[in-house]
């Protein structure tokens, strides 16, 4: 679906061309399995959750009318026609809206942002932000940091509710589909149904590590067969039981429903909103498809199939009101019961799968924003970029889902929790959409307010109904969200405090320049890569290292790996290279930029790309005057984007490759036999990390400046001597003068999360054999 590099290409803008239409039709077909599994399985439990008190014909007609207008106003009008237009470089979801806002107004709380980030091609997506520069509302929000923090908290709360969906969707979908076994002649007990549901759920989570792509080819056909089945049954039931149900398309029945049922009618809205659960997936999964393909699939297939199914169920119930608790399975004609039961169970699994995948994606995006502890991210598909698996989150989700299934054992109670989680996410999306209308699309505040209040009124009524059910299960997503919010905010707060400490304790460049090119210590052959979160300046860890060790590497590179508020950074723009101090110091800076949906893969090529990028920078600096003048003005801050794609044709270095077999050459050249034997043991234990050995040479007969040639030769010799990775092993503690709350957050909360998440060396794919860690205590 996406090009091999994993960066989505800009979508074609002529939707009427045949090639484009056929591409969108294929994508629409694929979207059934990924996007619509959850939404299309809602008929399993909607009527059972809605019609609990009033079970007469009028109430059933009113319930169907409500379902029809809810499906029309929220998924069709709001999502298909409006929200799907607010994509971020083809990506959708809460974070896409937040990142769009952060780029068009200074709302971002990511600390190490630079002006150079605004030059990224993905950054300029959408209308130019110049026109909105004078907006007083924008200036007001940018000026008040508390409002920006509140905006981030709203986005994180939405993200936590999506995680809640990841727990509740498998529970309600699988339990509802399996409950069909209680309708058959050999009626199973609740305990047996629960056991079957739990076995299916354990199997579902256990298979996550395979990745969706392994079973994706059966996903779309399963959902399509399911949609055709429910459409046919709905049509049959309408014609067979009560064709008068078509009158309920009139909103008159909604007014009648509320006037007759009063407060009970309002409370029953908590069941009606289950008919639109899974709608947010249309927007969240936009990155794998196109807006047109999702619109086609919903408007021409999903919407009519669901409407006809709900209509058929209502027609059946109007003549058989006693069947309401098991309305879906009772309404199936007996000859086709078993095939439909099997398809329903498969469709429930597909719907659950899509939501679990979306949960992994949300956690990954939270981490990129600096709001979630480091976790292991496994890329499960070579073809579908963004299909990921997070083992820790998977097992937490499984335990929570099983606890809810066994604890509640009732789809109505789980439905109360599920409806609240879904409607909260929609409510937050409406709010963010209103901000996007003003700041990104630059429409009038009145238009945004009209959009906000119209949809907030509808969603607010549903949300208030869902909140009434907090004691009957609605507390579950609130508790889950509260726990995840605390984790996210503690991590975000601790990370920001640590960064601020680094920022205020940077090493003075005057001190470095005073030490001279040797830095007052012995410079030994090799390259030292010093990792830091600082995008400018020299981190305190460096002075700590220099003052405690008598020697350091010949070539020093300060590496900063950071996230920028765009979904993807293309390989051509990933590296920013600059120089620290004058040329004889041999000190460089490299900033590696990733988008919030980018995945940092360990392809063993980072060192070589880095060396080539620095060599390219040295050449560029000699040719282009704006870089060479940096010697006189400033020794830090001038950066150049070095494209990794053009490096292959670069004339700076000649590259020769050979397979790295046995002990690497850089270690063989070392006199230490211990180091050689260590390396060979490491290679035997880790055959999959066998690196290809790349040697660099200068091109012969090149007319090169002698100083540039000498610097490139130093770089090549340093690479041959070996590369060491230097990381700060930091302990973050609150100052003694801090408040009790701050001590609690930093010394207990943040410290606990740091000890129990993946280490930075693992997250950055640093080879353990070449790692040096420097201990430091941060008093924040």
């Amino acid at each position: 679906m996406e090009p091999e590099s994993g960066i989505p290409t800009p979508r074609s803008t002529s939707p009427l061309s045949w090639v484009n239409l056929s591409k969108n039709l294929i994508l629409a077909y694929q979207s059934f399995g990924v996007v619509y599994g959850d939404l299309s399985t809602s008929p399993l439990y909607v009527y059972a959750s809605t019609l609990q008190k009033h079970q007469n014909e009028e109430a059933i007609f009113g319930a169907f009318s409500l379902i029809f207008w809810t499906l029309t106003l929220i998924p069709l009008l709001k999502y298909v026609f409006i929200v799907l237009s607010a994509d971020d470089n083809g990506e959708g979801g809460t974070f896409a809206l937040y990142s769009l806002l952060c780029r068009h107004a200074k709302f971002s709380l990511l600390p190490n942002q630079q002006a150079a980030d605004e030059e990224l091609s993905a950054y300029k997506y959408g209308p130019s932000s110049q026109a909105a520069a004078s907006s007083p509302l924008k200036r007001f929000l940018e000026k008040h940091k508390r409002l920006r923090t509140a905006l981030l908290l709203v986005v994180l709360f939405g993200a936590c509710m999506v995680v809640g969906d990841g727990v509740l969707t498998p529970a309600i979908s699988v339990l509802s589909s399996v409950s069909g076994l209680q309708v058959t002649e050999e009626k199973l007990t609740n305990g047996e149904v629960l056991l079957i549901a739990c076995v299916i759920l354990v199997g579902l989570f256990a298979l996550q590590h395979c990745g969706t792509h392994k079973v994706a080819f059966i996903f779309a056909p399963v959902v399509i067969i399911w949609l055709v089945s429910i459409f046919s049954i709905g049509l049959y039931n309408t014609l067979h039981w009560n064709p008068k149900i078509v009158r309920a398309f009139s909103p008159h029945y909604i007014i009648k429903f509320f006037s007759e049922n009063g407060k009970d009618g309002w409370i029953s809205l908590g069941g009606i909103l289950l008919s639109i659960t899974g709608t947010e997936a249309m927007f969240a999964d936009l990155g794998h498809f196109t807006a047109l393909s999702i619109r086609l699939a919903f408007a021409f297939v999903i919407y009519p199939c669901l409407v006809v199914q709900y209509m058929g169920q209502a027609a059946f119930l109007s003549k058989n009101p006693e069947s309401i608790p098991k309305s879906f399975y009772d309404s199936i004609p007996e000859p086709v019961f078993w095939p439909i039961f099997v398809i329903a169970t498969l469709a429930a699994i597909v719907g659950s799968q899509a939501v679990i995948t979306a949960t992994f994606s949300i956690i990954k995006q939270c981490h990129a924003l600096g709001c979630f502890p480091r976790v292991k991210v496994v890329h499960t598909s070579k073809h579908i970029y963004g299909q990921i698996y997070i083992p820790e989150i998977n097992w937490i989700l499984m335990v929570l889902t099983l606890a809810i299934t066994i604890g509640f054992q009732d789809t109505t109670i789980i439905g109360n929790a599920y409806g609240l989680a879904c409607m909260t996410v929609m409510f937050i999306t409406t709010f963010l959409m209103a901000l996007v209308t003003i700041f990104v699309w630059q429409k009038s505040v009145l238009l945004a307010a009209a959009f906000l209040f119209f949809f907030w009124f509808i969603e607010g009524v549903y949300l208030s109904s869902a909140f009434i059910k907090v004691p009957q299960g609605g507390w579950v997503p609130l508790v889950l969200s509260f726990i995840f919010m605390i984790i996210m905010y503690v991590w975000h707060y601790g990370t920001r405090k640590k960064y601020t400490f680094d920022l205020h304790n940077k090493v003075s460049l005057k001190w470095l320049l005073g030490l001279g090119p040797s830095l007052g210590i012995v410079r030994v052959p090799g390259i030292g890569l010093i990792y830091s979160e600082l995008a400018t300046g020299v981190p305190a860890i460096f002075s700590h290292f220099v003052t405690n060790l008598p020697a350091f590497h010949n070539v020093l590179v300060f590496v900063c790996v950071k996230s920028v508020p765009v979904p993807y950074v293309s390989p051509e723009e990933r590296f920013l290279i600059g120089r620290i101090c004058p040329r004889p110091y041999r000190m460089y800076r490299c900033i590696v930029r990733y988008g919030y949906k980018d995945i940092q893969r360990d392809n063993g090529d980072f060192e070589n790309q880095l060396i080539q990028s620095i060599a390219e920078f040295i050449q560029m600096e000699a040719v282009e005057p704006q870089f060479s003048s940096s010697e006189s003005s400033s020794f830090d801050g001038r950066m150049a984007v070095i494209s990794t794609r053009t490096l292959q044709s670069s004339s700076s270095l000649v590259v020769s490759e050979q397979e790295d077999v046995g002990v690497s050459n850089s270690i063989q050249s070392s006199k230490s036999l211990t180091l050689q034997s260590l390396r060979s043991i490491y290679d035997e234990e880790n055959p999959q990390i066998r690196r290809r050995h790349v040697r660099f040479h200068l091109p012969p007969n090149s007319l090169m400046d002698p100083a540039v040639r000498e610097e490139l030769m130093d770089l090549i010799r340093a690479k041959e001597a070996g590369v060491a990775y230097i990381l700060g092993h930091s302990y973050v503690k609150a100052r003694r003068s801090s408040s009790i709350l701050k001590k609690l957050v930093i010394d207990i909360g943040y410290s606990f999360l740091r000890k129990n998440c993946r280490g930075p060396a693992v997250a950055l794919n640093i080879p353990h054999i070449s790692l040096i860690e420097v201990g430091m205590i941060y008093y924040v």
Side-chain angles (χ1 to χ4, degrees), residues 11 106 199 219 291 365 463 496 510 543 616 735 738:
R11 315 294 189 195
K106 295 185 177 72
V199 168
F219 275 18
Q365 291 171 35
L463 202 55
R496 275 186 68 84
K510 276 186 183 173
S543 62
E616 191 69 20
R735 289 199 192 101
S738 304

Side-chain angles (χ1 to χ4, degrees), residues 699-720:
N701 312 320
S702 63
L703 302 168
M704 203 181 281
D705 183 288
V708 172
R709 193 176 186 87
E710 187 192 344
E711 190 171 1
L712 289 173
M713 281 307 298
D714 281 352
L715 188 66
I716 292 169
R717 282 195 289 266
K719 170 73 172 85
E720 289 300 310

Side-chain angles (χ1 to χ4, degrees), residues 60-80:
I60 291 162
F61 273 48
F64 168 64
S65 191
L66 270 167
I67 291 170
F68 169 72
W69 284 103
T70 306
L71 275 171
T72 305
L73 289 173
I74 294 179
L76 190 65
L77 180 63
K78 179 184 154 186
Y79 278 88
V80 169

Side-chain angles (χ1 to χ4, degrees), residues 38 41 45 160-176 201 204-205 274 277 348 351-352 355-356 359 396-398 400-405 408 410-424 472-481:
D38 184 13
T41 50
Y45 42 77
C160 292
M161 282 295 184
V162 172
V163 176
D165 278 357
V167 172
L168 295 162
T169 303
I172 191 168
S173 301
V174 173
L175 200 55
S176 298
L201 287 169
L204 177 67
F205 284 102
L274 293 178
T277 51
S352 306
V355 176
I356 295 165
T359 308
I396 290 169
L397 287 182
M398 185 183 87
L400 291 172
T401 303
L402 289 173
I404 281 164
T405 310
F408 289 141
D410 180 1
T411 52
T412 305
I413 297 176
I414 300 172
N416 293 341
Y418 185 37
L420 180 61
C422 290
M423 194 44 79
T424 307
Q472 294 98 40
W475 57 269
V476 172
L478 294 175
V479 169
L480 284 176
S481 298

Side-chain angles (χ1 to χ4, degrees), residues 204-234:
L204 177 67
F205 284 102
L207 288 172
Q208 288 300 314
H209 70 278
C210 300
T212 351
H213 67 288
K214 296 271 172 75
V215 278
F217 68 94
I218 66 156
F219 275 18
V222 163
V223 176
I224 286 170
I225 294 167
W226 164 250
L227 287 167
V228 169
S229 306
I230 62 173
F231 179 82
S232 312
I233 291 165

Side-chain angles (χ1 to χ4, degrees), residues 503-517 519 534-540 542-543 556 558 578-583 585 587-589 630-638:
L503 207 58
H504 293 319
N505 292 276
K506 286 195 287 194
V507 175
S508 138
L509 277 176
K510 276 186 183 173
W511 179 70
L512 281 178
L513 293 169
L515 292 175
L519 298 177
L534 290 178
T536 56
V538 176
F542 179 64
S543 62
L556 289 178
F558 292 90
R579 187 189 288 285
I580 300 175
C581 299
R583 184 173 276 162
Y585 282 70
M587 288 166 70
Y588 309 94
R589 175 182 309 290
S630 66
E631 297 250 333
S632 54
S633 55
S634 157
F635 301 118
D636 187 20
R638 294 294 180 106

